[in-house]
Amino acid sequence: MRQLDLYSFRCGVMECFCEMVHAGVKDLALSHPFSSPEERREYLEFAADVSGRYGLSFFLEDDPLITDLFPVTMNRDKCNIIFYRDDAGRDAYLQLKEKKQTLKARGLYCGHFRIELARRYGRLLSYPESRIKALIEKNTERES
């Protein structure tokens, strides 16, 4: 089988996710995590082009939301490109980040509140409830 280069692969994923957000299958989509803003910079021209073709917007996330939905190392110290159809999707993501900070500041980022935040994040990414539950249950690498 022919080997794909990383740049083309990541661009293909962004194209697919943009099509899904445009079609209403997803409310919000994340690029693959990048190790640094410099690495991500290589993809910005493509991100602008593909989001424009699908009538979407995107923003650069340098401090990704970490929840129990994904292993902590998947996004800690990484950055993303986040694609969305309208301001409501972007705002919902930013509100989740704010909610986490509020819970942490009050010493409540645990138990039900912590799981519910991860579930809300999964829903924002338009994952089915069964998949959200499975991802949270299988995640053994959680933020301390």
Side-chain angles (χ1 to χ4, degrees), residues 14 29 35 39 49 57 74 78 88 93 96 104 113 120:
M14 285 190 274
S35 297
E39 179 188 24
D49 177 65
S57 299
M74 184 176 187
K78 306 286 170 95
Y93 173 82
L96 275 181
K104 286 181 87 170
F113 292 115
R120 286 177 57 194

Side-chain angles (χ1 to χ4, degrees), residues 107-135:
L108 297 173
Y109 187 62
C110 56
H112 168 76
F113 292 115
R114 183 174 175 141
I115 296 300
E116 186 54 32
L117 192 95
R119 292 177 58 147
R120 286 177 57 194
Y121 190 30
R123 286 186 211 113
L124 183 58
L125 294 171
S126 305
Y127 291 4
E129 288 295 328
S130 60
R131 187 69 183 135
I132 293 169
K133 183 178 186 224
L135 285 169

Side-chain angles (χ1 to χ4, degrees), residues 3-106:
Q3 196 67 16
L4 288 175
D5 65 276
L6 183 59
Y7 179 83
S8 298
F9 174 75
R10 285 181 170 172
C11 288
V13 169
M14 285 190 274
E15 173 96 29
C16 177
F17 279 166
C18 283
E19 181 180 359
M20 290 170 34
V21 172
H22 172 75
V25 176
K26 291 181 74 57
D27 293 324
L28 190 82
L30 310 172
S31 67
H32 277 92
F34 297 100
S35 297
S36 68
E38 293 77 28
E39 179 188 24
R40 179 183 60 199
R41 194 171 301 125
E42 297 176 37
Y43 296 84
L44 293 183
E45 185 177 351
F46 182 82
D49 177 65
V50 72
S51 62
R53 283 188 279 124
Y54 286 100
L56 306 178
S57 299
F58 69 91
F59 69 95
L60 307 181
E61 174 59 280
D62 291 330
D63 183 28
L65 177 61
I66 307 287
T67 71
D68 293 343
L69 189 65
F70 301 117
V72 68
T73 55
M74 184 176 187
N75 287 300
R76 178 183 281 152
D77 300 322
K78 306 286 170 95
C79 57
N80 293 88
I81 302 169
I82 300 183
F83 299 94
Y84 60 96
R85 184 175 38 263
D86 53 41
D87 291 348
R90 180 200 61 214
D91 293 348
Y93 173 82
L94 296 174
Q95 288 167 3
L96 275 181
K97 285 183 70 173
E98 187 176 306
K99 178 72 170 175
K100 180 182 175 183
Q101 291 308 315
T102 300
L103 289 170
K104 286 181 87 170
R106 294 181 180 167

